[in-house]
Amino acid sequence: MQECCMPRLFAFSSPIAISRLAKTVMVGALGMFGLIVALNNVTDYNSNFQFVRHVLSMDTTFRGNSLMWRALPQPVLWHLFYGLIILGEATTGLLFAIAAYQMGTRLLASEDAFKTAKRFVPAATALGFLIWFFGFSVVGAEWFLMWQSQAWNGQQPAFRFFMTMLAVCIYVQQPE
């Protein structure tokens, strides 16, 4: 091995470089997640559209519940909500991917440079939290009573998604 490459190779074995690499990989994985979810929803539109349709129309909630006045039976609103979800998923994925790229290009840079590279992680996390916590847990589960549906209940997956994002964000924001 050439001597010019030795210091750079050994730099990646330092605890700081390993920590930065772990953070970058985790953020990159979240970016891929958001982008793949959005891609799946665009290329197989109908599958999750049915989920949105049933949740918003409240047609699988408990019979006779007194909150059915909240139901949205208009197809145009189903498509609008679904479009906003897809846009949010894609933007979340893109923000995480940008952050991962910037972090990756600054793995061996100064502390300030790497810290600056992480700036989109909280924004991506906040947007993901809005989609999967506010959108699915507050709006879907509580307002539209998704929790009452055995067939169209996305609470558990949504919980896993936003908790993972929160955990990664907290880890990424810790100093190396």
Side-chain angles (χ1 to χ4, degrees):
M1 186 175 285
Q2 296 176 1
E3 287 184 31
C4 69
C5 300
M6 293 297 283
R8 193 154 177 84
L9 179 64
F10 286 120
F12 274 110
S13 65
S14 75
I16 290 175
I18 292 170
S19 174
R20 288 179 177 186
L21 183 60
K23 291 174 180 184
T24 302
V25 168
M26 289 179 191
V27 170
L30 289 175
M32 289 300 298
F33 170 76
L35 292 171
I36 289 171
V37 169
L39 177 67
N40 289 348
N41 286 336
V42 169
T43 58
D44 186 16
Y45 187 88
N46 192 52
S47 291
N48 281 324
F49 175 73
Q50 294 305 315
F51 177 92
V52 172
R53 178 180 73 86
H54 285 290
V55 170
L56 296 180
S57 66
M58 299 174 65
D59 61 354
T60 60
T61 59
F62 298 160
R63 297 254 183 253
N65 78 64
S66 61
L67 298 176
M68 288 302 293
W69 59 270
R70 296 177 180 174
L72 297 177
Q74 300 88 357
V76 68
L77 294 176
W78 304 338
H79 289 284
L80 178 65
F81 270 76
Y82 193 37
L84 290 172
I85 291 168
I86 294 169
L87 179 63
E89 292 165 343
T91 305
T92 299
L94 185 61
L95 288 172
F96 275 126
I98 290 169
Y101 173 78
Q102 291 180 347
M103 292 164 67
T105 60
R106 293 170 180 88
L107 284 173
L108 299 176
S110 69
E111 182 179 344
D112 286 340
F114 190 73
K115 185 177 180 180
T116 300
K118 301 186 294 186
R119 71 184 176 275
F120 288 118
V121 174
T125 303
L127 184 54
F129 188 83
L130 284 174
I131 295 162
W132 285 287
F133 175 76
F134 182 75
F136 281 78
S137 299
V138 175
V139 176
E142 293 304 322
W143 184 257
F144 291 107
L145 308 178
M146 178 175 65
W147 65 270
Q148 293 183 4
S149 177
Q150 291 183 356
W152 303 102
N153 187 340
Q155 287 179 283
Q156 289 182 2
F159 178 79
R160 286 193 308 267
F161 302 159
F162 72 74
M163 288 305 294
T164 301
M165 289 178 196
L166 288 173
V168 169
C169 184
I170 290 167
Y171 174 57
V172 166
Q173 295 306 309
Q174 300 302 307
E176 281 74 46

